[in-house]
Amino acid sequence: MNFLREFFRSLFLSCTSLEYYNEVYRKPMAFSWKYLIVFYVLIAAVVAGAFTYAFEPVQPSLIGIGSPEWRTMVGMFPSDLQLSLGKTGIHINKSLPYAIPITKELLQQQEPAITDAQYPVLREEMTKRGFPINAFTFIDADTINTDTFPQYQSFAVVARREVAMKKSTTSPSITITAMPHLSLPFAITRTRLEKFTGVVQAFHLYDRSAFTFFVFTFGTLFLWMVMMVGSLVRIGVSSLIMMAVWTKKIRYKKVFQLSIHAYTPLILVSFIPVPSSLPWFATILRLAYFVWMFVILQRLERDGIIGLDQPKKTTPQKKKS
């Protein structure tokens, strides 16, 4: 409790009190390291909590993962197929059009008695009756033409920018979904689907409480590591610049320690939603840091604090002859 009380005191005074930096200057570096670590743990936890809440609607879709039906669907995904999603839409490493047929194993989910000999006959019968014989068909087009959809005999047709799916195997109605523009591309393979299935089952992510705990915990750890690395680089570079600007004698270690606390209000302000009409907001915050640090150092020099930790130079005494 004392540690947390001291942390929140330091958090408040780092944002509001110039006089507090006299105290920071006298404290050991370990104090500020602990402050920085706890500060980013709390921020990462808050951001991860927001992400967990945002991803809550995804959780029900994980319930069926690991079921026999899901494993059959994963097994249908060709081992040599790579599905890439990115800014330019959906792409695969195959010549188009490319179809993934409905396998015997998937049909056995409805009719367990289907044998290897019956499978080709059943596919032919499905074709005659207008039922889809392919699960997915990838086509060389940006969008879906509803008039040509039936010719692919597929439950779903995938273009670069759209995906069209039948509402049911017997209904001619289809729904078309536009693919979102992804700034970070990623690829899907059967191996990755199998690993994803293993993670969902191993951590019981089909359970709501387990899903929330997993996303929150690992989200916090990931964000904490990213924020810590980014912060150390930012503080380190800013401290070097401050050393170059501040011509008075002061150790880099102390500038770095002061910067850890001086960045606190700027980091908190950076989480305020900023309208697009303020494109220079980040630059303004960086300039604010240098102004704030300059004021802090001026105050420390005025109070005679800077240099107190410097070893005093002793002049050698002349030997008496």
Side-chain angles (χ1 to χ4, degrees):
M1 291 298 294
N2 289 335
F3 173 76
L4 287 177
R5 190 181 300 113
E6 179 62 25
F7 167 78
F8 284 109
R9 173 180 175 271
S10 183
L11 176 65
F12 177 75
L13 294 178
S14 294
C15 300
T16 60
S17 174
L18 277 172
E19 187 177 351
Y20 176 67
Y21 286 87
N22 295 0
E23 182 180 333
V24 172
Y25 192 92
R26 292 187 174 97
K27 286 186 178 293
M29 189 66 185
F31 168 81
S32 297
W33 278 121
K34 291 177 184 177
Y35 170 82
L36 184 67
I37 291 170
V38 175
F39 178 65
Y40 274 113
V41 164
L42 291 177
I43 289 182
V46 171
V47 176
F51 277 138
T52 303
Y53 178 79
F55 279 100
E56 189 86 8
V58 176
Q59 191 274 330
S61 64
L62 301 178
I63 294 175
I65 292 180
S67 65
E69 293 82 2
W70 170 263
R71 291 192 173 277
T72 300
M73 290 292 293
V74 173
M76 287 172 52
F77 200 96
S79 58
D80 59 344
L81 176 64
Q82 178 171 301
L83 176 64
S84 302
L85 298 92
K87 290 182 178 179
T88 57
I90 303 172
H91 300 274
I92 61 173
N93 58 340
K94 298 287 185 181
S95 299
L96 300 175
Y98 179 80
I100 299 177
I102 295 175
T103 61
K104 178 193 69 177
E105 289 74 18
L106 184 61
L107 294 175
Q108 284 177 332
Q109 299 294 334
Q110 302 296 328
E111 296 289 341
I114 297 174
T115 63
D116 291 343
Q118 292 173 324
Y119 174 64
V121 178
L122 182 58
R123 275 179 61 87
E124 186 176 345
E125 183 65 23
M126 290 167 63
T127 303
K128 291 179 181 179
R129 299 175 66 176
F131 293 162
I133 59 173
N134 298 316
F136 297 92
T137 298
F138 297 87
I139 62 173
D140 187 13
D142 288 329
T143 57
I144 304 293
N145 185 341
T146 55
D147 294 332
T148 60
F149 181 89
Q151 75 182 41
Y152 297 108
Q153 297 180 281
S154 184
F155 183 75
V157 176
V158 183
R160 280 183 286 271
R161 294 293 185 185
E162 292 179 341
V163 177
M165 299 183 67
K166 291 176 69 70
K167 291 185 176 180
S168 69
T169 54
T170 57
S171 173
S173 302
I174 62 172
T175 57
I176 298 178
T177 304
M179 294 302 299
H181 294 270
L182 303 175
S183 56
L184 295 177
F186 69 95
I188 299 174
T189 63
R190 183 199 283 188
T191 301
R192 291 182 180 180
L193 286 174
E194 290 171 345
K195 288 181 179 179
F196 174 71
T197 303
V199 170
V200 171
Q201 288 191 297
F203 292 97
H204 303 282
L205 299 186
Y206 42 78
D207 179 74
R208 182 176 293 275
S209 58
F211 174 83
T212 302
F213 175 79
F214 179 87
V215 174
F216 177 76
T217 302
F218 284 88
T220 300
L221 291 174
F222 174 77
L223 289 170
W224 177 78
M225 288 188 291
V226 172
M227 289 178 175
M228 278 294 294
V229 171
S231 177
L232 292 176
V233 172
R234 184 170 57 249
I235 292 174
V237 173
S238 300
S239 299
L240 285 173
I241 296 173
M242 202 66 216
M243 286 282 290
V245 174
W246 184 263
T247 56
K248 312 292 177 61
K249 188 172 184 181
I250 186 172
R251 290 192 299 171
Y252 174 77
K253 175 182 175 182
K254 284 300 176 183
V255 176
F256 190 95
Q257 182 177 6
L258 292 168
S259 294
I260 289 175
H261 296 265
Y263 256 111
T264 298
L266 307 180
I267 293 169
L268 294 176
V269 170
S270 67
F271 281 94
I272 298 175
V274 179
S276 57
S277 58
L278 293 176
W280 301 103
F281 186 68
T283 303
I284 293 172
L285 286 182
R286 293 187 183 96
L287 291 175
Y289 156 78
F290 288 109
V291 173
W292 181 230
M293 272 297 294
F294 188 82
V295 173
I296 291 170
L297 292 174
Q298 286 276 33
R299 175 64 181 262
L300 290 172
E301 184 185 31
R302 191 199 72 181
D303 293 347
I305 304 299
I306 292 179
L308 291 179
D309 60 324
Q310 300 281 354
K312 295 181 178 180
K313 291 184 179 180
T314 57
T315 54
Q317 297 180 351
K318 294 182 179 180
K319 293 183 179 180
K320 295 181 179 180
S321 54

